[in-house]
Amino acid sequence: ISDHQSQISHPYIAQLQSALDIWLADNKTAQAISTQSASAAQYLFDQLCQSDDKRHFVVSPEAADIIKQFKHQLTVKHIENEFNQILESLTENTNAKFEVIFDWIEHSQSAGDLQSPSSTQATQAKEVRNLQHYLTEAAAHILRGDQKQLEVLNVRVSTQVEGMIGSHSVVENGIYHLHYNRFMDKMREFEQVSVPTFQAYQDTKHELVEAKRISMRLDEFKPKVMSAFVRNKLLNNLYLPMIGDNFAKQLGTADKDTRTDRMGMLLLISPPGYGKTTIMEYVANRLGLTFMKINGPALGHDVVSLDPAEAPNATAAEEVKKLNLALEMGDNVLIYLDDIQHTHSEFLQKFISLCDAQRKIEGVYNGIARTYDLRGKKVGVVMAGNPYTETGGKFQIPDMLANRADTYNLGDIIGDSAEDFKASYIENSLTSNNVLSKLASKSQKDVYSIMRIAETDSQEGVDFEGNYTPAEIDEMVKVTKHLYRVRDAILRVNLQYIESAAQEDAYRTEPPFKLQGSYRNMNRIAEKIIPLMTDQEVLDIIQDHYENESQTLTSGAESNLLKFLEMENLATPEQQLRWESIKKDFTKNKMIGGDGETDPVTRLVAQLTTINESITTASNSYQKPQT
């Protein structure tokens, strides 16, 4: 076989490697020393492919020295015949023969008989350790019938690299003893074994982590800020400072004087649509907290325990599991309970100890009951809900929990924030309107410039940071003026909703008002506003919106619409007369009381009242003076 052919992978190499693997598996001595069967097969193939005049095995000078010293010791100690007799008795067992030779050489070395002739006293111990690498080679050459002097290849394969910095197991006193063969063995093992194994480990780890991430639904717990979120004046000047003060108590601060007695809770209340969840998701995103939102309606009024096994349905069980997962995380977590008016007060009581200085709570994770001690941890507790139920009465939370909470109503004007509160309706509706949406992606200062022009009808002293044509500015001003009309109507609806919902039923003089005036209503109307509309067309859109809203009410659709029309001075005489009749009947029915139309007593009283009214009407008509 030519030299060129020997460089090409040959089927014989695979056969040699297979035979070597079998031999290494049966020979513990050789297996402990080297398992580079692929390299050994390639070496044997290259050796055997040489021409007859060059066919000999290369012998390292170190192995040749070992063989020479070993034979000398056999002669000096007169045990050469004994050694040969042992080998002759093992002619049929090559493996046993190799192990005997190896043991004799190894014993000779351990007894101090083998020394490198070129070694100094300072490096003798190191050289003796290095010679261990050549014991197998020496034993193999003796086994094949000794070596010839011409087979010895005097090539230096080891050296010392000095000046090494750092600490490592292969570096001694700044010196690295490099042995080429061992170094290449390590490199091959690293390339062929370590790297593929590590890559397989990384791939397996990634697959397991992704599978666990999916099963735990971790992506759902990342705070995702809405694209329509606007950082308005109300948020900057009022809400964020309030939330920050509360979180300083719950999470601590970054300075050295941070509180260690972390406690408290944040309670956000407002009618639906005022961005309670959006604000807290934004805060969690900016603080890098895991946003664990627990859905109150999914829990329902039947959940009173933090044990998922006791949940009445699968949906409620999932929410309880999420809560326990947040407690198990134990750090960098924002626990957000949404719409707590739909939950049981006994369930909310479980958070009392978590919201005081103890910062403890009982939970159940993976079926095991645990007591979570979250003192000193970055864990925030926020609850949010509509302070008024769908029946018009205030919802209640446990007094001991309310005492531990900082409570803020986002749907009402707080302190001297009236102007910021009114402006927030316009700011939050920017992304909903096609004309004003271009302002949302530019400087916030331009928003206030447009609002100022809309209020004063003058551009004097107003500068824009963005580039707008006069036509664009005129369109944005016209739309803003229309939105002011929408905002004022929605504000009146909002205030009436809060006032009505806060009333006790015993003191009502008219049916409860359930139409709402939130940011959500503002956005729905704002998306329909265009610059060319007249004031009447804007009023029509507002009226149409609340006519549709009233149809979604479970009861009181007519009364709520008539009340809205009265508030906006849009009611016709017939509608006003109908509204007065409804209020009168409401007062009469409340006075009658009873269990409703199925109650005989109620029906009797109603009939008597009707007769009385008829008599009174007839009497007034009879006593009226004749003209």
Side-chain angles (χ1 to χ4, degrees):
I1 303 176
S2 65
D3 292 339
H4 174 71
Q5 289 176 311
S6 67
Q7 303 301 323
I8 304 175
S9 180
H10 196 279
Y12 287 163
I13 298 177
Q15 295 181 29
L16 286 170
Q17 182 177 352
S18 177
L20 283 169
D21 287 335
I22 296 173
W23 181 75
L24 288 170
D26 296 335
N27 194 298
K28 296 182 180 180
T29 302
Q31 185 180 17
I33 296 172
S34 175
T35 57
Q36 299 291 339
S37 59
S39 300
Q42 182 68 52
Y43 167 75
L44 286 174
F45 181 80
D46 292 339
Q47 287 282 345
L48 296 173
C49 285
Q50 296 186 36
S51 58
D52 294 338
D53 58 334
K54 296 181 180 179
R55 185 175 296 170
H56 57 76
F57 282 90
V58 174
V59 181
S60 66
E62 291 84 358
D65 287 342
I66 292 175
I67 296 171
K68 182 179 179 180
Q69 293 182 41
F70 176 66
K71 288 186 174 182
H72 177 70
Q73 292 298 325
L74 293 179
T75 303
V76 170
K77 295 182 179 180
H78 307 291
I79 55 176
E80 184 176 5
N81 291 333
E82 180 182 353
F83 176 71
N84 292 331
Q85 290 175 2
I86 294 175
L87 295 183
E88 290 175 0
S89 65
L90 299 173
T91 304
E92 302 300 328
N93 193 336
T94 306
N95 285 348
K97 206 174 190 180
F98 170 80
E99 292 187 5
V100 167
I101 297 172
F102 182 86
D103 289 342
W104 275 63
I105 297 176
E106 186 179 36
H107 176 74
S108 178
Q109 183 199 41
S110 62
D113 297 331
L114 300 182
Q115 298 179 6
S116 175
S118 60
S119 62
T120 63
Q121 185 175 4
T123 61
Q124 182 174 337
K126 185 67 179 179
E127 289 291 337
V128 169
R129 289 197 299 271
N130 289 337
L131 288 175
Q132 292 283 344
H133 181 75
Y134 299 99
L135 296 182
T136 305
E137 182 186 356
H141 288 308
I142 294 175
L143 177 63
R144 72 180 178 89
D146 212 344
Q147 95 285 358
K148 300 176 182 179
Q149 188 59 38
L150 59 87
E151 296 177 339
V152 179
L153 187 62
N154 290 306
V155 177
R156 186 182 181 190
V157 294
S158 63
T159 187
Q160 293 183 355
V161 181
E162 300 180 354
M164 302 293 291
I165 300 175
S167 177
H168 197 275
S169 59
V170 299
V171 177
E172 296 181 1
N173 299 323
I175 299 175
Y176 171 55
H177 299 276
L178 173 65
H179 190 281
Y180 177 78
N181 292 338
R182 287 200 294 271
F183 179 79
M184 293 306 296
D185 286 346
K186 289 174 64 176
M187 286 295 293
R188 278 190 293 267
E189 183 178 3
F190 178 77
E191 179 183 5
Q192 299 173 8
V193 179
S194 300
V195 172
T197 302
F198 179 75
Q199 290 176 340
Y201 160 75
Q202 289 290 82
D203 293 341
T204 303
K205 176 183 175 182
H206 178 74
E207 293 174 1
L208 293 174
V209 169
E210 284 302 312
K212 193 65 176 178
R213 181 190 300 276
I214 294 173
S215 65
M216 296 178 67
R217 297 156 45 192
L218 293 182
D219 289 338
E220 298 180 16
F221 310 143
K222 292 181 180 179
K224 302 177 181 65
V225 182
M226 294 175 56
S227 59
F229 178 79
V230 178
R231 184 85 175 260
N232 55 45
K233 281 186 177 180
L234 184 67
L235 187 64
N236 284 337
N237 300 340
L238 185 64
Y239 293 160
L240 288 183
M242 291 190 312
I243 294 172
D245 291 341
N246 177 267
F247 275 23
K249 293 188 297 183
Q250 290 203 69
L251 307 179
T253 56
D255 56 14
K256 63 179 180 180
D257 298 324
T258 182
R259 296 180 55 157
T260 56
D261 58 333
R262 298 175 185 176
M263 63 178 71
M265 183 190 79
L266 180 61
L267 178 60
L268 300 179
I269 59 176
S270 78
Y274 279 93
K276 299 182 292 295
T277 302
T278 302
I279 292 174
M280 295 316 306
E281 200 155 7
Y282 172 77
V283 172
N285 177 271
R286 304 309 297 171
L287 295 179
L289 301 175
T290 299
F291 187 70
M292 195 66 72
K293 178 184 175 183
I294 311 301
N295 192 353
L299 287 173
H301 294 284
D302 296 328
V303 174
V304 296
S305 170
L306 267 65
D307 186 354
E310 297 184 10
N313 54 66
T315 304
E318 283 299 317
E319 296 301 314
V320 179
K321 287 179 182 178
K322 284 166 55 178
L323 176 58
N324 282 280
L325 176 60
L327 298 175
E328 187 72 17
M329 290 178 179
D331 206 359
N332 292 322
V333 178
L334 178 60
I335 302 174
Y336 180 77
L337 275 73
D338 195 17
D339 291 328
I340 59 174
Q341 71 271 12
H342 295 288
T343 60
H344 198 287
S345 60
E346 186 175 342
F347 175 79
L348 298 179
Q349 288 176 0
K350 302 293 190 297
F351 292 86
I352 292 177
S353 60
L354 179 62
C355 297
D356 59 21
Q358 296 181 34
R359 218 63 174 164
K360 292 183 179 181
I361 188 172
E362 306 295 327
V364 179
Y365 186 71
N366 288 338
I368 302 176
R370 294 193 55 184
T371 299
Y372 294 99
D373 187 349
L374 304 180
R375 286 176 294 183
K377 303 294 183 63
K378 289 177 61 178
V379 176
V381 181
V382 181
M383 297 186 183
N386 182 357
Y388 315 104
T389 64
E390 56 272 15
T391 59
K394 289 185 177 180
F395 82 109
Q396 296 290 333
I397 65 172
D399 292 339
M400 295 180 65
L401 185 61
N403 291 336
R404 289 163 169 78
D406 295 331
T407 305
Y408 301 109
N409 191 335
L410 304 188
D412 203 355
I413 297 173
I414 303 176
D416 56 355
S417 63
E419 293 303 318
D420 290 342
F421 184 77
K422 292 179 181 179
S424 66
Y425 278 89
I426 306 298
E427 294 166 311
N428 287 338
S429 64
L430 292 178
T431 56
S432 299
N433 186 273
N434 290 332
V435 176
L436 297 180
S437 59
K438 63 187 70 175
L439 289 174
S441 59
K442 296 185 179 180
S443 172
Q444 196 174 25
K445 179 182 175 181
D446 292 349
V447 178
Y448 305 125
S449 297
I450 292 294
M451 293 172 64
R452 179 180 173 184
I453 297 173
E455 291 173 351
T456 63
D457 286 325
S458 173
Q459 293 192 31
E460 184 177 354
V462 176
D463 295 325
F464 292 96
E465 294 186 357
N467 295 323
Y468 311 99
T469 64
E472 287 178 330
I473 295 175
D474 183 62
E475 288 183 345
M476 289 188 288
V477 171
K478 288 181 179 179
V479 169
T480 304
K481 287 182 177 180
H482 292 328
L483 291 183
Y484 279 155
R485 178 67 183 90
V486 177
R487 179 201 64 184
D488 294 340
I490 288 180
L491 276 172
R492 285 190 288 270
V493 172
N494 175 64
L495 295 176
Q496 182 62 37
Y497 171 82
I498 294 177
E499 179 184 356
S500 174
Q503 288 182 351
E504 297 291 343
D505 288 338
Y507 305 113
R508 294 187 184 276
T509 58
E510 59 186 36
F513 185 74
K514 299 179 182 180
L515 295 178
Q516 299 172 10
S518 66
Y519 296 143
R520 187 176 295 129
N521 299 99
M522 182 72 186
N523 288 348
R524 289 176 180 173
I525 299 177
E527 65 186 13
K528 303 175 183 177
I529 302 298
I530 59 176
L532 298 179
M533 282 183 173
T534 63
D535 292 342
Q536 184 59 45
E537 288 174 331
V538 174
L539 290 177
D540 291 341
I541 289 179
I542 298 174
Q543 183 173 344
D544 290 342
H545 172 79
Y546 278 106
E547 284 181 358
N548 294 330
E549 288 286 306
S550 65
Q551 300 303 315
T552 62
L553 300 176
T554 55
S555 61
E558 181 186 16
S559 63
N560 276 264
L561 179 59
L562 291 174
K563 175 63 178 179
F564 169 76
L565 295 176
E566 181 190 48
M567 290 167 45
E568 298 300 308
N569 296 320
L570 299 175
T572 63
E574 293 79 9
Q575 290 172 331
Q576 189 63 41
L577 184 62
R578 174 59 179 161
W579 173 235
E580 295 297 332
S581 174
I582 289 176
K583 290 194 291 184
K584 183 178 179 181
D585 290 341
F586 176 82
T587 303
K588 181 182 66 175
N589 293 335
K590 187 180 69 172
M591 179 184 63
I592 293 175
D595 295 331
E597 296 181 354
T598 58
D599 184 10
V601 177
T602 300
R603 296 175 62 183
L604 176 61
V605 173
Q607 292 175 1
L608 292 175
T609 302
T610 302
I611 294 173
N612 180 64
E613 290 177 351
S614 301
I615 294 174
T616 301
T617 301
S619 176
N620 291 337
S621 176
Y622 177 77
Q623 295 176 2
K624 186 175 181 179
Q626 299 293 326
T627 58

